PDB file of all heavy atoms in Angstrom:
ATOM      1  N   PHE A   1      22.368  29.574   5.463  1.00 98.00           N
ATOM      2  CA  PHE A   1      21.276  29.861   6.473  1.00 98.00           C
ATOM      3  C   PHE A   1      20.237  30.837   5.947  1.00 98.00           C
ATOM      4  O   PHE A   1      19.273  31.060   6.645  1.00 98.00           O
ATOM      5  CB  PHE A   1      21.787  30.325   7.791  1.00 98.00           C
ATOM      6  CG  PHE A   1      22.484  29.221   8.577  1.00 98.00           C
ATOM      7  CD1 PHE A   1      23.381  29.555   9.714  1.00 98.00           C
ATOM      8  CD2 PHE A   1      22.264  27.912   8.343  1.00 98.00           C
ATOM      9  CE1 PHE A   1      23.994  28.653  10.427  1.00 98.00           C
ATOM     10  CE2 PHE A   1      22.967  26.894   9.042  1.00 98.00           C
ATOM     11  CZ  PHE A   1      23.757  27.267  10.077  1.00 98.00           C
ATOM     12  N   ASN A   2      20.555  31.509   4.732  1.00 98.00           N
ATOM     13  CA  ASN A   2      19.606  32.475   4.284  1.00 98.00           C
ATOM     14  C   ASN A   2      18.957  32.078   2.957  1.00 98.00           C
ATOM     15  O   ASN A   2      19.714  31.677   1.979  1.00 98.00           O
ATOM     16  CB  ASN A   2      20.364  33.835   4.125  1.00 98.00           C
ATOM     17  CG  ASN A   2      20.736  34.489   5.444  1.00 98.00           C
ATOM     18  OD1 ASN A   2      21.784  34.874   5.731  1.00 98.00           O
ATOM     19  ND2 ASN A   2      19.672  34.550   6.348  1.00 98.00           N
ATOM     20  N   CYS A   3      17.669  32.259   2.793  1.00 98.00           N
ATOM     21  CA  CYS A   3      16.981  32.044   1.670  1.00 98.00           C
ATOM     22  C   CYS A   3      17.314  33.154   0.595  1.00 98.00           C
ATOM     23  O   CYS A   3      17.337  34.372   1.013  1.00 98.00           O
ATOM     24  CB  CYS A   3      15.458  31.981   1.816  1.00 98.00           C
ATOM     25  SG  CYS A   3      14.460  31.995   0.324  1.00 98.00           S
ATOM     26  N   PRO A   4      17.482  32.914  -0.721  1.00 97.00           N
ATOM     27  CA  PRO A   4      17.756  34.060  -1.565  1.00 97.00           C
ATOM     28  C   PRO A   4      16.606  34.998  -1.859  1.00 97.00           C
ATOM     29  O   PRO A   4      16.819  36.097  -2.297  1.00 97.00           O
ATOM     30  CB  PRO A   4      18.116  33.372  -2.852  1.00 97.00           C
ATOM     31  CG  PRO A   4      17.555  31.925  -2.759  1.00 97.00           C
ATOM     32  CD  PRO A   4      17.596  31.694  -1.320  1.00 97.00           C
ATOM     33  N   SER A   5      15.430  34.628  -1.451  1.00 96.00           N
ATOM     34  CA  SER A   5      14.242  35.425  -1.524  1.00 96.00           C
ATOM     35  C   SER A   5      14.107  36.362  -0.249  1.00 96.00           C
ATOM     36  O   SER A   5      13.142  37.273  -0.285  1.00 96.00           O
ATOM     37  CB  SER A   5      12.990  34.669  -1.829  1.00 96.00           C
ATOM     38  OG  SER A   5      12.968  34.155  -3.076  1.00 96.00           O
ATOM     39  N   GLU A   6      14.874  36.189   0.712  1.00 97.00           N
ATOM     40  CA  GLU A   6      14.809  36.944   1.912  1.00 97.00           C
ATOM     41  C   GLU A   6      15.085  38.388   1.647  1.00 97.00           C
ATOM     42  O   GLU A   6      16.146  38.741   1.017  1.00 97.00           O
ATOM     43  CB  GLU A   6      15.682  36.432   3.064  1.00 97.00           C
ATOM     44  CG  GLU A   6      15.748  37.300   4.281  1.00 97.00           C
ATOM     45  CD  GLU A   6      14.390  37.521   4.902  1.00 97.00           C
ATOM     46  OE1 GLU A   6      13.695  36.505   5.258  1.00 97.00           O
ATOM     47  OE2 GLU A   6      13.999  38.741   4.964  1.00 97.00           O
ATOM     48  N   GLU A   7      14.331  39.396   2.218  1.00 91.00           N
ATOM     49  CA  GLU A   7      14.424  40.748   1.889  1.00 91.00           C
ATOM     50  C   GLU A   7      15.399  41.500   2.915  1.00 91.00           C
ATOM     51  O   GLU A   7      15.910  42.521   2.555  1.00 91.00           O
ATOM     52  CB  GLU A   7      13.037  41.469   2.013  1.00 91.00           C
ATOM     53  CG  GLU A   7      12.124  40.883   0.983  1.00 91.00           C
ATOM     54  CD  GLU A   7      10.651  41.372   1.262  1.00 91.00           C
ATOM     55  OE1 GLU A   7      10.418  41.988   2.291  1.00 91.00           O
ATOM     56  OE2 GLU A   7       9.802  41.011   0.471  1.00 91.00           O
ATOM     57  N   ASN A   8      15.661  40.776   4.003  1.00 96.00           N
ATOM     58  CA  ASN A   8      16.523  41.443   5.017  1.00 96.00           C
ATOM     59  C   ASN A   8      17.473  40.471   5.618  1.00 96.00           C
ATOM     60  O   ASN A   8      17.074  39.641   6.488  1.00 96.00           O
ATOM     61  CB  ASN A   8      15.594  42.088   6.175  1.00 96.00           C
ATOM     62  CG  ASN A   8      16.330  43.057   7.033  1.00 96.00           C
ATOM     63  OD1 ASN A   8      17.659  43.199   6.939  1.00 96.00           O
ATOM     64  ND2 ASN A   8      15.729  43.675   7.947  1.00 96.00           N
ATOM     65  N   THR A   9      18.651  40.591   5.264  1.00 96.00           N
ATOM     66  CA  THR A   9      19.750  39.735   5.799  1.00 96.00           C
ATOM     67  C   THR A   9      20.853  40.476   6.423  1.00 96.00           C
ATOM     68  O   THR A   9      21.931  40.101   6.661  1.00 96.00           O
ATOM     69  CB  THR A   9      20.352  38.771   4.671  1.00 96.00           C
ATOM     70  OG1 THR A   9      20.873  39.609   3.673  1.00 96.00           O
ATOM     71  CG2 THR A   9      19.346  37.815   4.128  1.00 96.00           C
ATOM     72  N   GLU A  10      20.507  41.761   6.726  1.00 97.00           N
ATOM     73  CA  GLU A  10      21.546  42.701   7.351  1.00 97.00           C
ATOM     74  C   GLU A  10      21.824  42.215   8.794  1.00 97.00           C
ATOM     75  O   GLU A  10      21.036  41.497   9.535  1.00 97.00           O
ATOM     76  CB  GLU A  10      20.831  44.145   7.575  1.00 97.00           C
ATOM     77  CG  GLU A  10      20.603  44.778   6.171  1.00 97.00           C
ATOM     78  CD  GLU A  10      21.828  44.990   5.407  1.00 97.00           C
ATOM     79  OE1 GLU A  10      22.960  45.381   6.026  1.00 97.00           O
ATOM     80  OE2 GLU A  10      21.856  44.703   4.144  1.00 97.00           O
ATOM     81  N   LEU A  11      23.120  42.389   9.265  1.00 97.00           N
ATOM     82  CA  LEU A  11      23.533  42.127  10.540  1.00 97.00           C
ATOM     83  C   LEU A  11      22.766  42.981  11.545  1.00 97.00           C
ATOM     84  O   LEU A  11      22.347  44.136  11.250  1.00 97.00           O
ATOM     85  CB  LEU A  11      25.047  42.347  10.667  1.00 97.00           C
ATOM     86  CG  LEU A  11      25.908  41.499   9.824  1.00 97.00           C
ATOM     87  CD1 LEU A  11      27.356  41.887  10.096  1.00 97.00           C
ATOM     88  CD2 LEU A  11      25.720  39.988  10.144  1.00 97.00           C
ATOM     89  N   ARG A  12      22.483  42.330  12.798  1.00 97.00           N
ATOM     90  CA  ARG A  12      21.808  43.118  13.754  1.00 97.00           C
ATOM     91  C   ARG A  12      22.755  43.512  14.973  1.00 97.00           C
ATOM     92  O   ARG A  12      23.429  42.536  15.402  1.00 97.00           O
ATOM     93  CB  ARG A  12      20.624  42.335  14.374  1.00 97.00           C
ATOM     94  CG  ARG A  12      19.862  43.071  15.407  1.00 97.00           C
ATOM     95  CD  ARG A  12      18.459  42.448  15.758  1.00 97.00           C
ATOM     96  NE  ARG A  12      18.731  41.203  16.521  1.00 97.00           N
ATOM     97  CZ  ARG A  12      18.843  41.152  17.898  1.00 97.00           C
ATOM     98  NH1 ARG A  12      18.923  42.232  18.599  1.00 97.00           N
ATOM     99  NH2 ARG A  12      19.082  40.026  18.434  1.00 97.00           N
ATOM    100  N   TYR A  13      22.857  44.700  15.265  1.00 96.00           N
ATOM    101  CA  TYR A  13      23.662  45.125  16.342  1.00 96.00           C
ATOM    102  C   TYR A  13      22.848  45.331  17.605  1.00 96.00           C
ATOM    103  O   TYR A  13      21.874  46.116  17.709  1.00 96.00           O
ATOM    104  CB  TYR A  13      24.318  46.538  15.930  1.00 96.00           C
ATOM    105  CG  TYR A  13      25.307  46.358  14.773  1.00 96.00           C
ATOM    106  CD1 TYR A  13      24.834  46.268  13.468  1.00 96.00           C
ATOM    107  CD2 TYR A  13      26.661  46.286  14.944  1.00 96.00           C
ATOM    108  CE1 TYR A  13      25.628  46.132  12.352  1.00 96.00           C
ATOM    109  CE2 TYR A  13      27.545  46.085  13.898  1.00 96.00           C
ATOM    110  CZ  TYR A  13      27.067  46.047  12.590  1.00 96.00           C
ATOM    111  OH  TYR A  13      27.826  45.926  11.530  1.00 96.00           O
ATOM    112  N   SER A  14      23.377  44.696  18.661  1.00 93.00           N
ATOM    113  CA  SER A  14      22.742  44.786  19.991  1.00 93.00           C
ATOM    114  C   SER A  14      23.844  44.952  21.015  1.00 93.00           C
ATOM    115  O   SER A  14      24.487  44.004  21.494  1.00 93.00           O
ATOM    116  CB  SER A  14      21.998  43.472  20.229  1.00 93.00           C
ATOM    117  OG  SER A  14      21.243  43.594  21.511  1.00 93.00           O
ATOM    118  N   GLY A  15      23.971  46.173  21.406  1.00 88.00           N
ATOM    119  CA  GLY A  15      25.169  46.429  22.394  1.00 88.00           C
ATOM    120  C   GLY A  15      26.468  46.083  21.827  1.00 88.00           C
ATOM    121  O   GLY A  15      26.687  46.527  20.712  1.00 88.00           O
ATOM    122  N   ASP A  16      27.215  45.321  22.405  1.00 87.00           N
ATOM    123  CA  ASP A  16      28.577  44.953  21.898  1.00 87.00           C
ATOM    124  C   ASP A  16      28.455  43.623  21.068  1.00 87.00           C
ATOM    125  O   ASP A  16      29.508  43.204  20.543  1.00 87.00           O
ATOM    126  CB  ASP A  16      29.561  44.637  23.111  1.00 87.00           C
ATOM    127  CG  ASP A  16      29.744  45.918  23.881  1.00 87.00           C
ATOM    128  OD1 ASP A  16      29.757  46.953  23.344  1.00 87.00           O
ATOM    129  OD2 ASP A  16      30.029  45.668  25.174  1.00 87.00           O
ATOM    130  N   ILE A  17      27.289  43.090  20.858  1.00 93.00           N
ATOM    131  CA  ILE A  17      27.198  41.828  20.113  1.00 93.00           C
ATOM    132  C   ILE A  17      26.558  42.119  18.749  1.00 93.00           C
ATOM    133  O   ILE A  17      25.640  42.814  18.635  1.00 93.00           O
ATOM    134  CB  ILE A  17      26.379  40.769  20.875  1.00 93.00           C
ATOM    135  CG1 ILE A  17      26.889  40.568  22.330  1.00 93.00           C
ATOM    136  CG2 ILE A  17      26.363  39.415  20.082  1.00 93.00           C
ATOM    137  CD1 ILE A  17      28.253  39.957  22.387  1.00 93.00           C
ATOM    138  N   ILE A  18      27.134  41.466  17.754  1.00 96.00           N
ATOM    139  CA  ILE A  18      26.512  41.480  16.467  1.00 96.00           C
ATOM    140  C   ILE A  18      25.969  40.170  16.110  1.00 96.00           C
ATOM    141  O   ILE A  18      26.611  39.091  16.351  1.00 96.00           O
ATOM    142  CB  ILE A  18      27.604  41.909  15.377  1.00 96.00           C
ATOM    143  CG1 ILE A  18      28.288  43.199  15.723  1.00 96.00           C
ATOM    144  CG2 ILE A  18      27.041  41.922  13.974  1.00 96.00           C
ATOM    145  CD1 ILE A  18      29.492  43.551  14.916  1.00 96.00           C
ATOM    146  N   TYR A  19      24.786  40.179  15.438  1.00 98.00           N
ATOM    147  CA  TYR A  19      24.151  38.900  15.111  1.00 98.00           C
ATOM    148  C   TYR A  19      23.827  38.815  13.586  1.00 98.00           C
ATOM    149  O   TYR A  19      23.458  39.842  12.947  1.00 98.00           O
ATOM    150  CB  TYR A  19      22.845  38.773  15.881  1.00 98.00           C
ATOM    151  CG  TYR A  19      22.981  38.701  17.452  1.00 98.00           C
ATOM    152  CD1 TYR A  19      22.690  39.857  18.206  1.00 98.00           C
ATOM    153  CD2 TYR A  19      23.289  37.488  17.996  1.00 98.00           C
ATOM    154  CE1 TYR A  19      22.868  39.753  19.526  1.00 98.00           C
ATOM    155  CE2 TYR A  19      23.443  37.462  19.433  1.00 98.00           C
ATOM    156  CZ  TYR A  19      23.206  38.597  20.138  1.00 98.00           C
ATOM    157  OH  TYR A  19      23.317  38.556  21.498  1.00 98.00           O
ATOM    158  N   ALA A  20      23.865  37.580  13.029  1.00 98.00           N
ATOM    159  CA  ALA A  20      23.427  37.302  11.699  1.00 98.00           C
ATOM    160  C   ALA A  20      22.113  36.636  11.639  1.00 98.00           C
ATOM    161  O   ALA A  20      21.973  35.633  12.506  1.00 98.00           O
ATOM    162  CB  ALA A  20      24.590  36.579  10.947  1.00 98.00           C
ATOM    163  N   PRO A  21      21.280  36.926  10.857  1.00 98.00           N
ATOM    164  CA  PRO A  21      19.894  36.317  10.859  1.00 98.00           C
ATOM    165  C   PRO A  21      19.823  34.992  10.149  1.00 98.00           C
ATOM    166  O   PRO A  21      20.768  34.573   9.567  1.00 98.00           O
ATOM    167  CB  PRO A  21      19.033  37.381  10.109  1.00 98.00           C
ATOM    168  CG  PRO A  21      20.018  38.032   9.201  1.00 98.00           C
ATOM    169  CD  PRO A  21      21.251  38.104   9.803  1.00 98.00           C
ATOM    170  N   ILE A  22      18.738  34.295  10.327  1.00 98.00           N
ATOM    171  CA  ILE A  22      18.576  32.988   9.747  1.00 98.00           C
ATOM    172  C   ILE A  22      17.148  32.764   9.162  1.00 98.00           C
ATOM    173  O   ILE A  22      16.203  33.247   9.702  1.00 98.00           O
ATOM    174  CB  ILE A  22      18.873  31.935  10.810  1.00 98.00           C
ATOM    175  CG1 ILE A  22      18.959  30.435  10.245  1.00 98.00           C
ATOM    176  CG2 ILE A  22      17.958  32.033  12.068  1.00 98.00           C
ATOM    177  CD1 ILE A  22      19.620  29.481  11.151  1.00 98.00           C
ATOM    178  N   ASN A  23      17.101  31.954   8.087  1.00 98.00           N
ATOM    179  CA  ASN A  23      15.852  31.691   7.413  1.00 98.00           C
ATOM    180  C   ASN A  23      15.373  30.093   7.574  1.00 98.00           C
ATOM    181  O   ASN A  23      14.235  29.957   7.079  1.00 98.00           O
ATOM    182  CB  ASN A  23      15.860  31.948   6.015  1.00 98.00           C
ATOM    183  CG  ASN A  23      15.810  33.448   5.680  1.00 98.00           C
ATOM    184  OD1 ASN A  23      16.671  34.040   5.194  1.00 98.00           O
ATOM    185  ND2 ASN A  23      14.691  34.019   5.954  1.00 98.00           N
ATOM    186  N   TYR A  24      16.106  29.341   8.195  1.00 98.00           N
ATOM    187  CA  TYR A  24      15.796  27.968   8.309  1.00 98.00           C
ATOM    188  C   TYR A  24      15.792  27.511   9.705  1.00 98.00           C
ATOM    189  O   TYR A  24      16.782  27.435  10.393  1.00 98.00           O
ATOM    190  CB  TYR A  24      16.773  27.091   7.426  1.00 98.00           C
ATOM    191  CG  TYR A  24      16.815  27.511   6.038  1.00 98.00           C
ATOM    192  CD1 TYR A  24      17.925  28.170   5.425  1.00 98.00           C
ATOM    193  CD2 TYR A  24      15.689  27.482   5.195  1.00 98.00           C
ATOM    194  CE1 TYR A  24      17.990  28.487   4.096  1.00 98.00           C
ATOM    195  CE2 TYR A  24      15.724  27.884   3.835  1.00 98.00           C
ATOM    196  CZ  TYR A  24      16.842  28.430   3.325  1.00 98.00           C
ATOM    197  OH  TYR A  24      16.817  28.845   1.935  1.00 98.00           O
ATOM    198  N   ALA A  25      14.654  27.082  10.133  1.00 98.00           N
ATOM    199  CA  ALA A  25      14.413  26.782  11.608  1.00 98.00           C
ATOM    200  C   ALA A  25      14.165  25.265  11.777  1.00 98.00           C
ATOM    201  O   ALA A  25      13.611  24.543  10.884  1.00 98.00           O
ATOM    202  CB  ALA A  25      13.242  27.630  12.114  1.00 98.00           C
ATOM    203  N   VAL A  26      14.389  24.857  13.037  1.00 98.00           N
ATOM    204  CA  VAL A  26      14.126  23.452  13.356  1.00 98.00           C
ATOM    205  C   VAL A  26      12.733  23.247  14.019  1.00 98.00           C
ATOM    206  O   VAL A  26      12.223  24.171  14.634  1.00 98.00           O
ATOM    207  CB  VAL A  26      15.251  22.863  14.270  1.00 98.00           C
ATOM    208  CG1 VAL A  26      16.597  22.797  13.508  1.00 98.00           C
ATOM    209  CG2 VAL A  26      15.354  23.571  15.553  1.00 98.00           C
ATOM    210  N   ASN A  27      12.166  22.114  13.850  1.00 98.00           N
ATOM    211  CA  ASN A  27      10.863  21.820  14.366  1.00 98.00           C
ATOM    212  C   ASN A  27      10.842  21.508  15.796  1.00 98.00           C
ATOM    213  O   ASN A  27      11.325  20.487  16.301  1.00 98.00           O
ATOM    214  CB  ASN A  27      10.348  20.504  13.574  1.00 98.00           C
ATOM    215  CG  ASN A  27       9.021  19.966  14.136  1.00 98.00           C
ATOM    216  OD1 ASN A  27       8.246  20.716  14.889  1.00 98.00           O
ATOM    217  ND2 ASN A  27       8.774  18.738  13.895  1.00 98.00           N
ATOM    218  N   MET A  28      10.219  22.429  16.523  1.00 98.00           N
ATOM    219  CA  MET A  28      10.175  22.257  18.043  1.00 98.00           C
ATOM    220  C   MET A  28       8.686  21.792  18.554  1.00 98.00           C
ATOM    221  O   MET A  28       8.546  21.877  19.703  1.00 98.00           O
ATOM    222  CB  MET A  28      10.506  23.594  18.675  1.00 98.00           C
ATOM    223  CG  MET A  28      11.911  24.172  18.373  1.00 98.00           C
ATOM    224  SD  MET A  28      13.239  23.115  18.891  1.00 98.00           S
ATOM    225  CE  MET A  28      13.126  23.290  20.623  1.00 98.00           C
ATOM    226  N   GLY A  29       7.835  21.376  17.577  1.00 98.00           N
ATOM    227  CA  GLY A  29       6.676  20.806  17.919  1.00 98.00           C
ATOM    228  C   GLY A  29       5.491  21.684  17.641  1.00 98.00           C
ATOM    229  O   GLY A  29       5.581  22.512  16.667  1.00 98.00           O
TER     230      GLY A  29
END
């Protein structure tokens, strides 16, 4: 889910939940 050229792939902490970022998105129009 991450491009090797991405500069920031650190996990994001929000309260009790940890999130991993993404570089590839789907077409919503």
